[in-house]
Amino acid sequence: MSQTLAAVTGSLGSIGYGLAAIGPGVGVGIIFGNGTQALARQPEAAGLIRANQILGFAFCEALALIGMVMPFVFGK
């Protein structure tokens, strides 16, 4: 005799995306935190530091967008 305490309905892909969004969120925080420290230490290199920050941010956000699309691609 088995009892069901809780039933999960809907797509588990949305839960997976919620967990997968933690990684890019942490990555963006690290990028801009370290970029701010670098700008405080070497203000004359602001252009190069800012360009590298934007590039790293774009890569992190691309991972988040890919993670958002994958549940729809592989979902049932």
Side-chain angles (χ1 to χ4, degrees):
M1 173 189 234
S2 69
Q3 273 185 319
T4 302
L5 296 176
V8 177
T9 60
S11 174
L12 291 177
S14 58
I15 295 172
Y17 172 67
L19 293 174
I22 294 171
V26 170
V28 168
I30 290 171
I31 288 168
F32 286 109
N34 288 336
T36 303
Q37 287 181 4
L39 285 171
R41 292 178 185 195
Q42 289 188 326
E44 66 274 2
L48 180 62
I49 293 168
R50 191 171 296 118
N52 286 334
Q53 276 184 320
I54 292 171
L55 185 63
F57 174 76
F59 286 143
C60 281
E61 286 302 313
L63 289 175
L65 291 174
I66 289 170
M68 186 171 65
V69 171
M70 285 303 122
F72 296 111
V73 171
F74 294 115
K76 292 182 181 178

